[in-house]
Amino acid sequence: MATQNPGGNLGGPPNIPVADEPGSASRKASTAGAVNTHGHNTIYLDTSVTFEAYHFWAERAREEEKHFETVGATTQIKEVFSRAEKKKKQQQQAIDAAPTNAVEKSTSSPNADNESDSRFGVTTSEWEHANRAARTATWVSIFYLIATDILGPYSVPWSLAQMGLGPGITLYVVFAGFAAYSGFQLWWQFTGLDSPKYPLRNYGDLGFRVYGNWARQLINVLQSCQFFLNVTLLIVSKGQGLAQMARGANRQGFLCFVVAQLIFMLLGFLLGQIRTLQRLGFLANVAVWLNIFVIIMSMVVIPVYGPNEEAAAAQSGVAIGEAIRVASYWPEGSGVTDRINGLMNAVYAYGGATLFVELMAEMRRPMDFYKGFICAQVFIFVVYITMGIVVYSFQGQYTFNPVYQGIPNAAYAWQTVGNAVVLISGLIAALLYGNIGIKVFYAAVLRDVFRFPPLETRTGKITWIFMVPIYWACAFVIAAAVPQISQLGAFVGAAFILQFSYTFPPILQVGYNVQRDAILPEEVFDPATGQSRRVDGGLRRILRGFSKQLFRNTFDSLYFICALATAGLGMYAAIIGMTEGFSKGTVRSFSCQSPTGS
C-alpha cells in the first residue's frame, strides 16, 4: 500500500502516488487534526502536499504574473503614503472574490473546510483569486518596509569604536554582501514554492516546505525569542533615555534607572493590548521618519559638541579627559571579545531577513522583490557607514551606544530631543515586536502543543489580555538584570538574528536545490489528477539532487557551517562581555545607577 510523502522529505520512498488536490481523501485525514498556526487555513501545513506540487503551481503563478499590469515608480511612491485607502481597497477585493455562500457554508457545517470540492464553501479557483486579490504591495513599498524594519544605525559608531575604521568598515561590507546573498536565497525559494493555490505566509512556512514541521517549529520558537529580546533591549535603551532626561541640564535631577525601565514596561502593559497590527501601521510609518530625524540631528550636533565622556566612562570604563583617539586598525587595548561584540552589533544592524518572507507574501509580483531589496540594502549600507564614520571620527574611544545618548550634557536640549523622539519610536517598535512575538508564541506553543483555540475566539482574546503583562514583565526582569545594551545586543545578534539572516537561508537553499534537482524527466506532476510519482528515494535521490549544483550546494553548506560557528563565537563573546561588566562593577542588576552615569 502506498504511503504519503511529506513535502519536507528530501529523499522519499519510490513509486508513491500523491493526492494533491485540496479536497482529496488524504487531505481530509491530514487536516482534520491540524493546527491553524497563524490565522490562515490548515491547507498551508498539509504534509500530504509534495515539493513537486508546490513547485509546479509556483512556476505557473510566476508565468501568470509576467502579464500583470504595473504602474510607474512615482505612482507606487504615492501609494506608500496612502496605505489606509489601499488597505480598504485590498479588503474589498478579497470580499468580492469570495461568494456570499462561503460564509453560509462555513457556519452550517463544522467540517466545511474538508468538503471534497471547496474550502469553506469556496472553490479552488475562487480561493486562488482571493489570495491574489489580497496581494497588492509593489517593489517600492517593499523598499520602504525593508528600510523601516532594518534602519537603526544607533550602534554602528560604537561597533566601529570596537573594531577600528579599517576592520570595521570591511566587516560591515562583508556582512552586507552576505546579507544580500541570503536575501536573494530567500527570494529564490519563495518564488519557487509560493502560489495562490499554496501561498507562503511566513519564514516558518518556508522551513516546513523544505524540511518539514520540525523546521517550522524551530524557526517559530527562535523568531519569538528574537522579538522578545528586542523588547528587552528597547526597555534597557529607553530606560537609559528616561533617566538621562530626568537628570536635567544642571545634572541635579534624578530618576532611578530601574524605575525608568519600569515606566517603559508599564506603557507596554497598557498599549500592548492592541491586538491588530493594522492599528499600529500608521504609527510604524511615523516611527521611520522620527528615526531619520534623530540620525541627521546626531550627525550635525556631535561634531559641534564632541563626546559625552561621563556616559562613555560609565558604559565602557574609558578614562575621562584623554585626547580623542580614532583607530584606523584594531583599537589599542581592545581584546578579541570587544571586537566580536562590535561585530555582532553589526550583525544586529542587518537583521531584517526575519520578515522577508512576510513582505514577499504581500506582493502582487514577488519576482519584483529584488528591486526593492537592492535599493533598500544600498540605502541602509550608506546610512550606516556614513553615520558610523562621522560619529566615531568626532568621539573616538568615547563613542556611546546608542549614539544619541552620547551627545554631551553641554547640549542637553539636543540630547533630550533625541531621547524624547526615540522614546516614542522605540515604544512603537516595542509594541510591534511584542505584538508579533506574542502571536508567534501563541501559535507555536499554545496552539500547536496545548491545542488552544484561534486567537480571534473569546478564549484567545482573554488569553491575550493575560499574556501581554506577563510578556512585558518577563522582558523587564531580563532588562533590569542585564542592563548592558551593547553586550545584550551582541547576544541577540549572534543567537537569533544571525540565524535568520545568515544561517537558515543557505541550508534552506541546499534543501530546496536538492529536492528540485532530484526530479527526473519521467517524474511528471499531473495537475489534473493531483498525483506525482517518484522512481527512487533515500540517499540516492539526495546525492543526485546535491550533485546537480555541486559547487553551489557545497559553498552554501560551508556558508551554513561558518555562520553557525560565528553565532557560537558571538554568543560566547557576549556572555564573557556581560560577565566582565558585572565583575568590574560598571553595571549592576536592578540598580538605580544608569549606564549613562546619571
Side-chain angles (χ1 to χ4, degrees):
M1 179 178 177
T3 56
Q4 294 174 352
N5 177 46
N9 185 350
L10 286 177
N15 301 321
I16 300 174
V18 179
D20 178 66
E21 286 303 310
S24 66
S26 62
R27 174 148 314 207
K28 288 183 180 181
S30 63
T31 59
V35 178
N36 180 358
T37 59
H38 291 282
H40 53 67
N41 195 292
T42 52
I43 187 86
Y44 308 126
L45 302 178
D46 187 355
T47 56
S48 70
V49 183
T50 63
F51 179 90
E52 290 88 340
Y54 289 132
H55 191 60
F56 172 86
W57 292 110
E59 286 186 326
R60 195 185 77 163
R62 302 294 86 82
E63 285 297 321
E64 292 176 355
E65 288 163 4
K66 291 179 181 178
H67 305 289
F68 288 176
E69 293 183 5
T70 58
V71 296
T74 303
T75 303
Q76 294 183 36
I77 292 174
K78 291 179 181 178
E79 288 182 352
V80 167
F81 297 97
S82 60
R83 297 180 67 84
E85 190 63 32
K86 182 179 176 183
K87 184 71 176 179
K88 292 179 182 178
K89 181 180 179 181
Q90 169 185 326
Q91 291 174 337
Q92 187 59 47
Q93 287 176 324
I95 292 172
D96 293 342
T100 306
N101 65 354
V103 179
E104 296 174 355
K105 185 69 171 287
S106 64
T107 56
S108 62
S109 173
N111 296 318
D113 58 327
N114 289 328
E115 293 295 329
S116 61
D117 61 346
S118 65
R119 300 183 188 93
F120 293 97
V122 183
T123 64
T124 300
S125 61
E126 290 167 343
W127 179 267
E128 293 181 29
H129 182 69
N131 279 322
R132 273 207 198 281
R135 298 183 173 197
T136 57
T138 62
W139 70 266
V140 173
S141 60
I142 291 302
F143 159 76
Y144 178 79
L145 290 170
I146 292 177
T148 299
D149 181 49
I150 301 179
L151 188 60
Y154 301 128
S155 66
V156 176
W158 182 87
S159 294
L160 293 183
Q162 307 308 304
M163 298 182 287
L165 284 175
I169 294 174
T170 300
L171 288 171
Y172 262 93
V173 172
V174 170
F175 272 82
F178 277 108
Y181 178 58
S182 294
F184 279 115
Q185 288 181 316
L186 293 176
W187 174 56
W188 292 327
Q189 295 161 39
F190 183 92
T191 55
L193 294 173
D194 167 78
S195 65
K197 190 180 187 72
Y198 301 116
L200 269 171
R201 298 298 190 187
N202 50 57
Y203 213 128
D205 285 357
L206 185 60
F208 171 80
R209 295 189 185 186
V210 176
Y211 288 111
N213 195 50
W214 68 267
R216 182 183 69 86
Q217 293 281 17
L218 174 65
I219 289 171
N220 285 343
V221 169
L222 290 179
Q223 197 175 39
S224 183
C225 291
Q226 177 188 326
F227 290 137
F228 172 75
L229 289 177
N230 281 345
V231 173
T232 299
L233 279 167
L234 287 165
I235 291 176
V236 176
S237 63
K238 304 323 160 198
Q240 288 181 184
L242 283 170
Q244 196 175 50
M245 285 190 289
R247 190 171 188 183
N250 58 4
R251 294 186 287 179
Q252 298 299 313
F254 180 76
L255 174 64
C256 180
F257 175 53
V258 72
V259 173
Q261 292 178 298
L262 185 64
I263 292 172
F264 191 80
M265 180 204 71
L266 291 175
L267 290 173
F269 266 27
L270 299 175
L271 299 178
Q273 292 298 336
I274 300 174
R275 285 186 300 106
T276 60
L277 286 175
Q278 181 180 354
R279 297 178 182 177
L280 296 173
F282 174 75
L283 294 177
N285 293 342
V286 172
V288 179
W289 298 107
L290 293 177
N291 282 326
I292 290 175
F293 167 77
V294 174
I295 291 169
I296 296 173
M297 182 268 291
S298 300
M299 287 193 292
V300 171
V301 173
I302 286 175
V304 176
Y305 290 95
N308 188 334
E309 297 184 13
E310 184 183 47
Q315 184 182 72
S316 305
V318 296
I320 297 177
E322 295 182 348
I324 293 175
R325 300 189 304 272
V326 178
S328 58
Y329 196 57
W330 301 115
E332 182 181 351
S334 68
V336 175
T337 300
D338 299 319
R339 298 167 188 174
I340 295 174
N341 282 330
L343 177 61
M344 288 304 105
N345 274 270
V347 170
Y348 188 91
Y350 286 117
T354 309
L355 296 177
F356 280 2
V357 176
E358 282 85 342
L359 296 180
M360 284 184 275
E362 297 290 331
M363 294 191 69
R364 179 171 172 78
R365 288 169 48 121
M367 289 300 293
D368 289 342
F369 173 80
Y370 76 95
K371 300 177 184 178
F373 175 62
I374 291 175
C375 292
Q377 285 291 112
V378 172
F379 172 72
I380 291 165
F381 175 78
V382 170
V383 171
Y384 281 7
I385 292 300
T386 301
M387 185 178 188
I389 293 175
V390 169
V391 174
Y392 177 51
S393 297
F394 285 94
Q395 292 193 327
Q397 74 274 26
Y398 296 110
T399 302
F400 191 82
N401 183 17
V403 65
Y404 53 87
Q405 292 177 1
I407 296 174
N409 294 321
Y412 173 76
W414 288 112
Q415 181 190 92
T416 302
V417 168
N419 277 318
V421 171
V422 177
L423 177 66
I424 297 171
S425 64
L427 180 60
I428 296 170
L431 292 175
L432 290 170
Y433 288 135
N435 187 289
I436 298 173
I438 293 174
K439 286 178 179 176
V440 172
F441 177 82
Y442 187 89
V445 178
L446 298 185
R447 292 224 61 197
D448 282 10
V449 178
F450 296 102
R451 304 304 189 202
F452 270 53
L455 194 58
E456 295 76 18
T457 63
R458 184 173 181 271
T459 302
K461 292 177 181 179
I462 294 174
T463 305
W464 177 275
I465 293 174
F466 288 99
M467 284 183 66
V468 169
I470 294 173
Y471 188 89
W472 278 82
C474 292
F476 163 76
V477 169
I478 295 178
V482 190
Q484 303 184 50
I485 189 169
S486 299
Q487 283 70 32
L488 194 56
F491 179 82
V492 175
F496 304 107
I497 292 177
L498 190 145
Q499 317 307 325
F500 291 102
S501 295
Y502 302 98
T503 305
F504 291 155
I507 199 63
L508 286 172
Q509 187 67 46
V510 171
Y512 172 83
N513 289 342
V514 167
Q515 294 192 77
R516 185 191 60 184
D517 295 338
I519 300 174
L520 296 171
E522 59 268 29
E523 296 179 343
V524 179
F525 172 76
D526 186 358
T529 61
Q531 293 185 348
S532 59
R533 185 178 296 274
R534 294 179 179 177
V535 301
D536 60 2
L539 182 61
R540 179 180 179 183
R541 188 177 187 86
I542 293 175
L543 292 176
R544 181 173 71 247
F546 190 91
S547 62
K548 191 73 174 289
Q549 299 186 67
L550 182 60
F551 174 79
R552 182 179 179 185
N553 290 328
T554 302
F555 175 81
D556 285 339
S557 298
L558 293 175
Y559 177 20
F560 164 74
I561 294 172
C562 291
L564 272 182
T566 304
L569 191 63
M571 287 187 285
Y572 171 78
I575 293 171
I576 293 297
M578 293 177 192
T579 304
E580 290 179 351
F582 285 119
S583 62
K584 292 178 181 178
T586 55
V587 291
R588 297 181 181 88
S589 298
F590 299 94
S591 172
C592 274
Q593 182 68 27
S594 171
T596 62
S598 55

